[in-house]
Amino acid sequence: MERMAMTLEKFTRSLDAKSLPRVLQIQSGYYFQGSVYELFGREWSFSYGELLKIIGISVTRLIVELQSEGSKSMTVDLSLDYPGLFRIVADKRPYASIQEIVDSVCISPECLGQPEFRCPEELQLAEGTIQAEESFRLTALRTKHGDSHVDCEVTRKDSKHIFTVKLSHTGEFYECADDQFYTLRELVEWKMPKGRKRTVTWAKSLPSKEKCVSKLPEDYSGELVLTPVYELQTVSKFGKNVVFIPSTLDVEVLDVTEESDGACFMQPLSLRDVFAKPSEVFPFRAEIIEPPSQVQEELGFLTSSKQVIVHGAYQTKRILASEIRSEAQRRFLIPMSYNGRFKRRPRMFPTAYDLEVAKSDMEQLHVVATRAFETEYEGLSSVLVGDQYLVHKRETSEVIYGGRRKTVEALACEKMVGKKYEAVLIPMCLDGGFVEVVHDKKQYMLSEVCHRFSLPFNVKVSMRDLSVKEDPLAGATGLQLEEMITDPYLLVSTPDLAQCWEVPVNRTNMTLQLLQQWSGPEPTQGQAVCSAVEEIGEDCYFTLRRYVNASVLPPPRPPKRHQQPSEDTLKLQPPRPKKSDPPSPKSPHTAKPAMPSPSSSGCAEQNTSIPRNETSNTSLFAVPKPGPQKAIVEENSPHNNTIKQDDEDTHDYEYIDEDELDSIRRKFYDQSIHRTDKNKSKNTYAMQTAKQV
């Protein structure tokens, strides 16, 4: 059967990226009186019969259609770097089979490549039944004995069940609602179904949006329909450079992949392509075809060198950190090999639930209350500003609420009252505030911090990394080490091994051509394989933070506070006789609690959820001198928990500044006066009522 030529745009729409590379033959030349560079940013011309090898396809921009009721829709062009986060609107068109889903969406072991669907009817499978309207996640595409199927994951009561579904399975399959946030680049790479348009809505504007000239109306809150505009990455038979061709170029092409010899073309590779190579390929010498446009100072040799040695590809750990400041926060990825030293900084805890998450077996967590909280439960302790606690563990306790007994979860603590310790229970839903008391100024390596303490953890650089020319962390007033992630890197050096650095795969855009296997020496410990501290932008930070699997449950819901009438209202109303029947208790408050900060791993390997970030600069409340306090803990603590301190500096506490201390003292004083006045008012009212009777 003779194949027909088609336009380049039609070929691009039907192209499956998994089938690349493809070889095309030009059937009609491109002629224009002028420079193609002026139109498309690329200088190129085609002639009849010329062969092109398509090595990649990418989206250069998005045509966004604004859906407005009662008015004419408008379209704007947005680049993939447009700052902002978007939420997907579920596609209402059903898929007729699993095969159609596999052909349309991206499925991979990475979290972003695991779409979620539902079926109005039951799915009878070998491993069991997926109920009607029950959502299932497609996690992997597999082929066994020539039969292809997808692995499906169903979550039921915090347990996961795995099913296999054949691609030939038919039915009506609908895309499930997705409550996560995505950048435009992520939508294009992972969430753009083939042959369908993607509809989204605004979710969040990033700070960098203020510096961007936006073509979207500021107050627009409707739906946005995204249509991608593609660009093809090609190489010619005799050319050495990668040529980018817009898919809208007016030429006709014929797919001749089966008849042509693809080995005669150059083989340019992105860093992701290099990372996917088998381990037997490494090390190898490579020529830099297209150097990175932007790179940090330590990796400057990638822009000046013609050739490099790629020694290996691996996943390595980084610590995601944020500068502790209220405005213009900087974000960092810190390698575990960082040679600087850190000192502890106090942490802030908005709820008792956060205290329970942060407690450690390595040392006693000692905190001071910065906000008052009056409990609604009889049997649980209220909190005053300035109260000091030693945190122990979560317990269940029977309390009285609304006239009824109920079992709630509480946090067991020891309240420091003078020289004594009083065992108390604090509600887990406590909406107050605590600040950590730091008892040592020992200097820690980054690996020691990660081993001894749970993240997030607040530190300050006490000694900069002397192995680098400039340490970007040294100037930070404080850092919050948020979580440990895993990210792909390549170990790249100059041919003479004078410089050898870990190069991030996901954040370095460059193209290499593999030349030959490297048989020279490998970098040794003496030649210092270096890992640089990376300063990342807000979009990359949110990307890294979101793909997380929450390992802890959300905090309990707080009870609904009973509305107390004002004293003026009480004075106007006569006393009422008591009813014999007890009042019915009100239902607890059902407001949705804030989710805790979860931990994550690499850029495209995690679940999605934007956790709360603690950005305020925190100080410490002044506490008693450590000498006698340590003895008191040993004598009076029922759990015999001591506050461990560094032997070199036993009297080393941190204090807040005087202004903050005065503020806390004023709150404490006003709180005491308020309670005294309130009691006096109640006594006066009782006496007046007695006289009237």
Side-chain angles (χ1 to χ4, degrees):
M1 181 178 177
E2 184 179 356
R3 288 169 298 172
M4 299 293 293
M6 65 181 74
T7 63
L8 184 62
E9 186 174 9
K10 184 178 180 181
F11 169 80
T12 304
R13 287 200 304 266
S14 63
L15 179 62
D16 184 1
K18 301 174 185 176
S19 66
L20 295 178
R22 310 294 297 178
V23 179
L24 301 181
Q25 186 182 53
I26 302 297
Q27 297 295 299
S28 63
Y30 182 83
Y31 304 98
F32 180 73
Q33 293 181 355
S35 174
V36 180
Y37 178 85
E38 296 175 2
L39 292 181
F40 306 107
R42 303 288 189 272
E43 187 173 2
W44 191 248
S45 61
F46 303 106
S47 59
Y48 177 81
E50 187 172 354
L51 295 180
L52 293 176
K53 184 177 182 180
I54 311 297
I55 60 173
I57 180 173
S58 60
V59 177
T60 57
R61 56 190 173 91
L62 289 168
I63 298 176
V64 182
E65 182 181 354
L66 281 66
Q67 301 288 334
S68 301
E69 295 183 2
S71 61
K72 188 177 180 180
S73 61
M74 60 177 292
T75 59
V76 296
D77 286 1
L78 292 183
S79 68
L80 302 187
D81 296 326
Y82 185 81
L85 297 175
F86 301 84
R87 182 181 281 114
I88 292 176
V89 177
D91 193 349
K92 296 180 181 179
R93 290 171 51 197
Y95 291 84
S97 65
I98 298 296
Q99 180 70 58
E100 185 181 355
I101 295 177
V102 171
D103 293 340
S104 300
V105 303
C106 180
I107 301 175
S108 76
E110 298 176 354
C111 189
L112 278 181
Q114 297 182 0
E116 199 167 348
F117 289 85
R118 59 179 176 84
C119 182
E121 300 177 356
E122 289 186 352
L123 298 180
Q124 302 290 339
L125 306 173
E127 297 84 359
T129 302
I130 298 180
Q131 302 298 326
E133 298 297 337
E134 187 175 28
S135 63
F136 56 91
R137 188 185 302 272
L138 306 182
T139 58
L141 177 63
R142 303 185 188 279
T143 302
K144 187 176 181 180
H145 305 302
D147 189 14
S148 298
H149 66 273
V150 291
D151 290 346
C152 297
E153 183 180 284
V154 177
T155 302
R156 296 169 179 165
K157 295 182 179 180
D158 298 331
S159 61
K160 296 180 179 180
H161 304 267
I162 306 299
F163 300 88
T164 57
V165 186
K166 293 183 178 180
L167 301 189
S168 58
H169 202 110
T170 58
E172 285 190 357
F173 301 96
Y174 292 89
E175 186 179 40
C176 290
D178 191 343
D179 60 351
Q180 307 302 336
F181 305 148
Y182 302 95
T183 64
L184 288 182
R185 190 173 293 278
E186 291 167 346
L187 289 172
V188 165
E189 187 173 357
W190 298 97
K191 300 296 181 179
M192 195 69 68
K194 185 179 178 182
R196 300 188 180 207
K197 295 182 179 180
R198 172 58 75 194
T199 304
V200 299
T201 59
W202 273 106
K204 182 180 178 64
S205 296
L206 297 181
S208 55
K209 182 179 181 295
E210 299 175 359
K211 303 176 183 178
C212 177
V213 179
S214 175
K215 297 180 181 179
L216 293 177
E218 293 184 2
D219 300 331
Y220 183 76
S221 59
E223 293 183 348
L224 307 170
V225 180
L226 309 181
T227 302
V229 178
Y230 294 96
E231 186 176 60
L232 300 175
Q233 303 171 28
T234 68
V235 291
S236 64
K237 195 169 185 179
F238 305 103
K240 198 173 184 179
N241 296 327
V242 178
V243 179
F244 297 85
I245 304 174
S247 61
T248 55
L249 197 63
D250 188 16
V251 294
E252 290 189 346
V253 296
L254 182 66
D255 191 340
V256 293
T257 304
E258 306 299 330
E259 296 85 2
S260 61
D261 181 15
C264 63
F265 291 88
M266 183 188 65
Q267 303 287 333
L269 301 171
S270 67
L271 292 196
R272 292 189 180 185
D273 297 331
V274 174
F275 185 82
K277 291 286 184 182
S279 57
E280 295 79 15
V281 175
F282 301 95
F284 62 84
R285 181 190 291 270
E287 182 179 357
I288 298 178
I289 303 299
E290 185 178 357
S293 57
Q294 284 186 333
V295 72
Q296 59 193 100
E297 183 179 354
E298 292 84 355
L299 304 180
F301 71 96
L302 297 178
T303 60
S304 58
S305 301
K306 296 296 183 183
Q307 295 184 1
V308 292
I309 309 298
V310 182
H311 297 275
Y314 48 83
Q315 298 270 356
T316 188
K317 294 178 180 178
R318 292 290 190 270
I319 300 298
L320 183 62
S322 295
E323 188 175 12
I324 302 176
R325 56 189 303 178
S326 57
E327 297 179 355
Q329 280 185 295
R330 292 186 296 167
R331 318 289 189 177
F332 301 97
L333 283 177
I334 309 175
M336 298 302 295
S337 59
Y338 178 76
N339 288 322
R341 300 293 189 273
F342 298 100
K343 283 187 179 180
R344 297 176 58 178
R345 288 287 305 273
R347 292 172 286 179
M348 289 283 287
F349 305 102
T351 66
Y353 178 84
D354 296 286
L355 294 177
E356 198 274 335
V357 172
K359 67 181 180 62
S360 170
D361 296 333
M362 301 293 292
E363 67 171 0
Q364 185 78 60
L365 179 58
H366 180 190
V367 296
V368 177
T370 57
R371 285 183 59 191
F373 176 84
E374 187 171 352
T375 180
E376 297 289 330
Y377 295 116
E378 294 184 24
L380 299 185
S381 175
S382 297
V383 175
L384 299 179
V385 175
D387 287 350
Q388 298 184 45
Y389 298 92
L390 300 178
V391 180
H392 288 299
K393 60 180 180 179
R394 183 194 301 201
E395 294 182 357
T396 57
S397 176
E398 191 176 77
V399 299
I400 298 176
Y401 175 71
R404 293 185 178 182
R405 291 185 177 273
K406 62 181 298 185
T407 301
V408 298
E409 289 191 331
L411 188 63
C413 301
E414 288 180 280
K415 182 178 179 181
M416 302 170 64
V417 183
K419 294 184 178 181
K420 296 182 180 180
Y421 289 79
E422 176 186 341
V424 296
L425 293 175
I426 297 177
M428 291 295 291
C429 58
L430 186 152
D431 181 20
F434 301 90
V435 64
E436 181 184 20
V437 180
V438 178
H439 293 277
D440 71 277
K441 275 194 175 180
K442 181 180 178 181
Q443 298 188 91
Y444 295 95
M445 295 283 293
L446 182 60
S447 57
E448 293 177 311
V449 173
C450 297
H451 175 71
R452 292 193 54 180
F453 309 106
S454 59
L455 302 182
F457 197 74
N458 293 358
V459 295
K460 180 181 179 180
V461 175
S462 58
M463 186 178 74
R464 75 174 189 89
D465 189 349
L466 300 177
S467 63
V468 295
K469 184 178 180 181
E470 292 186 7
D471 186 351
L473 304 180
T477 56
L479 293 170
Q480 184 179 65
L481 307 181
E482 299 184 11
E483 55 194 325
M484 181 181 294
I485 68 167
T486 303
D487 218 22
Y489 285 82
L490 295 176
L491 185 59
V492 182
S493 74
T494 54
D496 58 358
L497 303 183
Q499 297 189 66
C500 187
W501 290 85
E502 289 180 339
V503 179
V505 172
N506 292 331
R507 292 175 295 280
T508 308
N509 296 320
M510 62 182 300
T511 305
L512 303 176
Q513 182 183 4
L514 194 154
L515 297 179
Q516 61 185 17
Q517 198 81 15
W518 171 254
S519 57
E522 287 294 298
T524 61
Q525 290 292 337
Q527 289 167 313
V529 175
C530 298
S531 304
V533 175
E534 299 177 60
E535 184 172 348
I536 59 177
E538 289 291 308
D539 52 348
C540 184
Y541 168 78
F542 282 111
T543 300
L544 292 167
R545 284 299 327 244
R546 288 180 305 120
Y547 308 142
V548 293
N549 292 312
S551 58
V552 290
L553 297 175
R557 293 173 178 172
K560 184 176 180 180
R561 293 182 178 272
H562 295 286
Q563 296 293 333
Q564 298 291 342
S566 64
E567 295 181 6
D568 294 339
T569 306
L570 287 173
K571 291 178 181 179
L572 295 174
Q573 295 177 351
R576 297 180 180 180
K578 295 183 179 180
K579 295 182 180 180
S580 56
D581 298 331
S584 60
K586 294 182 180 180
S587 61
H589 199 275
T590 57
K592 213 170 187 179
M595 290 294 292
S597 298
S599 60
S600 75
S601 55
C603 255
E605 301 174 0
Q606 302 112 11
N607 205 358
T608 58
S609 174
I610 298 186
R612 180 181 64 251
N613 295 323
E614 300 296 338
T615 59
S616 58
N617 199 348
T618 310
S619 299
L620 243 298
F621 185 81
V623 297
K625 293 184 179 181
Q629 180 172 293
K630 182 176 181 180
I632 292 166
V633 175
E634 294 174 351
E635 293 174 6
N636 299 329
S637 173
H639 301 281
N640 197 26
N641 291 319
T642 61
I643 302 175
K644 297 182 181 180
Q645 303 179 40
D646 187 30
D647 295 336
E648 298 176 359
D649 195 0
T650 54
H651 295 277
D652 190 10
Y653 281 104
E654 285 196 35
Y655 298 90
I656 63 171
D657 55 54
E658 290 299 326
D659 294 338
E660 185 70 17
L661 181 58
D662 290 341
S663 175
I664 295 177
R665 284 172 176 165
R666 281 196 300 272
K667 287 182 182 179
F668 182 73
Y669 178 75
D670 294 342
Q671 193 177 63
S672 302
I673 296 299
H674 175 71
R675 287 177 175 271
T676 303
D677 292 343
K678 190 175 181 180
N679 292 334
K680 287 181 179 180
S681 299
K682 289 182 178 179
N683 293 336
T684 303
Y685 172 73
M687 292 176 65
Q688 291 176 354
T689 305
K691 288 180 180 180
Q692 292 176 3
V693 175

